Amino acid sequence: MITRSAWVRPAAAVFVVGWGANMFASLLHAYADLSRVRADGLFGAYALGLIPALLIAARVSDRVGRRRALLAALLLSALGSAVLSLSHGAFATVLAGRILIGISAGAAFGPGTAWIRELSDTARTRGAGVGARRAAVALTAGFAAGPLLSGAVVQWLPSPQTTSYLIHITLVALTLPLVLRAPEPGRRDTGPDTRRMTTTRRPVALLTSRAFLAAVLPTAPWVFGAATVAFTALPAMVSLGDFGAVGSGIIAATTLGTGIAVQPWAGRLARRSPAAPFRTGMTAAIVGMLLAALTAGTGSLVLLMTTAVVLGAAYGILLVSGLRLMESLAPPQHAATAIAVFYSLAYAGFAFPVLVQTLSTLWNPVPVLLAGSGLALATMATTFMAWPRDPRRR
């Protein structure tokens, strides 16, 4: 029997893998010999492993099961942390460790999100989109907790490059038994209705739908683009004094904690109109980038925290709304693949801090961030081509 709390087990795995992926945001302060552009590049480098792993693992998990995919992801996550802990700051080894962490994240997020959805649906949980919201909260909580605790480790404990990774490896060890005992609903239905759905609604139909092309495709990179500008790019432009590591962790936790807090509101917006959460999320991104430009120009800590809240709201609304829309567009047989496509697009946003840092070496960061707000405005304009018709009726 599948209980109402069964979804917590795969959610714990998504949380732990997210922790390992994002704790590097605070650990950057432990690699003081790296240039800022190179450090930001290492932070985003795990997308090199993540995006192909997302697309491959999603299809594999549809065939071999969510449990096997998520167990492999957890083991790869621990391996990546082990490599990083033994790197002694060597750039090539750190890069290899980050790519391994990316592969683990790609192997976890698509199948994990699909598994959370399946368990939520099987337990007859009330409320549309509850599976997407639970998956988004698990991922975001891991992203927030990782840098917050690692920032404290870097700030106050010895050997932070070893201690932080050992904490993560311990969390992986504690999570493995939970995943092993998690129920896995049957994924294949041989009935005629399912066969018809599989043949008539393949992933290519989803990727050519107007809702995907005009809403998901342009807005998805702003999911992590907004968040990483807040907790990766901006802390490099504002002095945090003697508390750089823990301060960066607090900024990351504030950004991502706001992302968790706004997700129920995103659900209420979606019930009002399918377009509302996308346009609200992009409005937050526009305002957040304007505040980011003002923060870079003034160096104000108050503005930095305010910007983190606004860009965190953009992150949270766009994340859960994108997942919900992809769920509504994809048949159950292709859920993991659809989710993987969404995450692949969202992770393109990890290039934003690198772009900001690189362009800021050529121009003042203020006009660079103002240009970012203009790009966000252009992105919001594309959502007006996706609706007013409900994309679930396509």
Side-chain angles (χ1 to χ4, degrees):
M1 178 180 176
I2 297 177
T3 64
R4 288 182 178 271
S5 61
W7 65 272
V8 173
R9 294 175 181 271
V14 171
F15 171 85
V16 169
V17 174
W19 176 304
N22 209 40
M23 66 181 183
F24 201 73
S26 293
L27 283 166
L28 286 173
H29 292 269
Y31 300 93
D33 56 328
L34 294 175
S35 69
R36 189 67 210 186
V37 172
R38 182 173 264 199
D40 285 344
L42 280 175
F43 177 73
Y46 90 119
L48 297 175
L50 180 142
I51 292 175
L54 268 170
L55 300 173
I56 294 170
R59 300 297 295 272
V60 169
S61 78
D62 284 339
R63 294 177 179 272
V64 305
R66 313 299 188 210
R67 181 182 292 109
R68 291 180 181 179
L70 214 50
L71 287 172
L74 283 166
L75 293 173
L76 280 172
S77 185
L79 177 62
S81 281
V83 169
L84 287 165
S85 70
L86 298 172
S87 69
H88 303 294
F91 179 80
T93 309
V94 175
L95 178 62
R98 287 296 290 165
I99 291 174
L100 272 174
I101 290 288
I103 295 171
S104 73
F109 295 158
T113 299
W115 197 1
I116 293 167
R117 173 198 175 184
E118 289 162 1
L119 291 175
S120 298
D121 290 346
T122 304
R124 293 184 174 88
T125 305
R126 293 180 181 177
V130 67
R133 188 170 70 248
R134 286 170 171 174
V137 168
L139 175 66
T140 305
F143 277 169
L148 183 61
L149 183 61
S150 296
V153 170
V154 172
Q155 192 73 53
W156 291 302
L157 295 183
S159 304
Q161 293 183 26
T162 300
T163 305
S164 295
Y165 296 123
L166 286 178
I167 291 172
H168 176 244
I169 292 170
T170 301
L171 288 173
V172 170
L174 293 173
T175 307
L176 285 170
L178 295 177
V179 176
L180 279 168
R181 292 195 296 267
E184 189 173 12
R187 298 174 308 285
R188 295 179 179 86
D189 183 348
T190 57
D193 291 342
T194 299
R195 287 198 300 268
R196 184 168 59 250
M197 179 184 293
T198 303
T199 57
T200 59
R201 293 187 63 197
R202 294 184 183 278
V204 67
L206 183 156
L207 300 181
T208 56
S209 67
R210 188 169 66 176
F212 176 81
L213 293 173
V216 176
L217 182 63
T219 64
W222 283 97
V223 172
F224 291 118
T228 54
V229 165
F231 66 74
T232 302
L234 286 182
M237 302 177 186
V238 177
S239 175
L240 299 176
D242 296 328
F243 299 97
V246 71
S248 294
I250 291 171
I251 295 299
T254 299
T255 304
L256 298 163
T258 303
I260 293 174
V262 300
Q263 287 176 16
W265 183 44
R268 290 193 290 272
L269 286 172
R271 287 192 291 272
R272 183 187 309 169
S273 162
F278 289 91
R279 292 170 188 165
T280 303
M282 287 312 305
T283 299
I286 295 165
V287 174
M289 293 301 289
L290 290 172
L291 287 171
L294 190 58
T295 301
T298 62
S300 168
L301 287 173
V302 174
L303 279 174
L304 176 59
M305 290 295 291
T306 304
T307 304
V309 169
V310 176
L311 288 176
Y315 159 84
I317 294 170
L318 293 173
L319 174 62
V320 72
S321 301
L323 285 173
R324 285 172 61 113
L325 182 57
M326 293 299 278
E327 282 189 0
S328 72
L329 292 172
Q333 291 79 6
H334 302 306
T337 301
I339 291 165
V341 169
F342 172 75
Y343 276 130
S344 298
L345 293 169
Y347 270 98
F350 268 72
F352 283 28
V354 179
L355 288 173
V356 170
Q357 290 291 340
T358 302
L359 294 175
S360 294
T361 62
L362 303 175
W363 299 286
N364 187 285
V366 173
V368 172
L369 292 165
L370 286 174
S373 69
L375 179 61
L377 180 62
T379 301
M380 186 174 72
T382 66
T383 66
F384 286 89
M385 295 185 288
W387 287 285
R389 285 193 297 168
D390 188 339
R392 289 170 292 186
R393 296 177 182 174
R394 295 195 204 289

